[in-house]
Amino acid sequence: TAELAELGAQLWAAGLPVLDDLHNYSYDWPRTDKSQRYAAAVRELRPGVTMMIMHCTEPTEVFAHISASGASRLGDLEAMLDPELRAVIAEEGIVLTTWRELMARRTAADDR
């Protein structure tokens, strides 16, 4: 939308890295389906910088006192450790990165 484009322009003008897309709909996926569903989501990514939100956690016995999301978070962890998902990420040429690396690329783009 025009509002998102304007927000992206403001972030870029402020010297910050800008996302092209956001994937934040895996929270309600069943734990046992996460690897396959992340693989499908990776295959559908468009070119650009996409943030896939996940919360990889190996919940302890006290985690339930903090959040009811333990099973979902464990599913995220299991998916990210799944060799089949890792293979899909490699096959699709996906570059896993950090915000620090994005900022370094952003700064380098300014220096051109």
Side-chain angles (χ1 to χ4, degrees):
T1 68
E3 291 174 341
L4 289 176
E6 182 180 329
L7 180 58
Q10 289 174 350
L11 291 170
W12 190 263
L16 299 170
V18 177
L19 297 173
D20 296 301
D21 205 356
L22 175 66
H23 174 287
N24 65 343
Y25 50 88
S26 60
Y27 191 79
D28 292 329
W29 292 348
R31 176 180 161 198
T32 56
D33 293 349
K34 286 206 173 198
S35 287
Q36 295 80 17
R37 293 182 84 170
Y38 274 123
V42 165
R43 287 185 179 106
E44 295 173 3
L45 290 176
R46 294 176 285 174
V49 177
T50 299
M51 179 178 177
M52 294 185 89
I53 297 178
M54 62 192 62
H55 298 94
C56 299
T57 305
E58 189 168 5
T60 64
E61 63 279 351
V62 298
F63 191 83
H65 299 288
I66 300 168
S67 172
S69 65
S72 178
R73 291 168 182 248
L74 180 58
D76 285 345
L77 177 62
E78 292 167 341
M80 294 303 111
L81 295 174
D82 184 344
E84 291 181 26
L85 177 56
R86 295 175 97 145
V88 170
I89 291 169
E91 289 166 12
E92 294 295 322
I94 303 299
V95 176
L96 301 178
T97 192
T98 66
W99 282 106
R100 182 172 285 136
E101 291 168 347
L102 279 177
M103 190 62 194
R105 287 195 286 278
R106 168 67 173 96
T107 301
D110 281 344
D111 292 340
R112 290 186 212 161

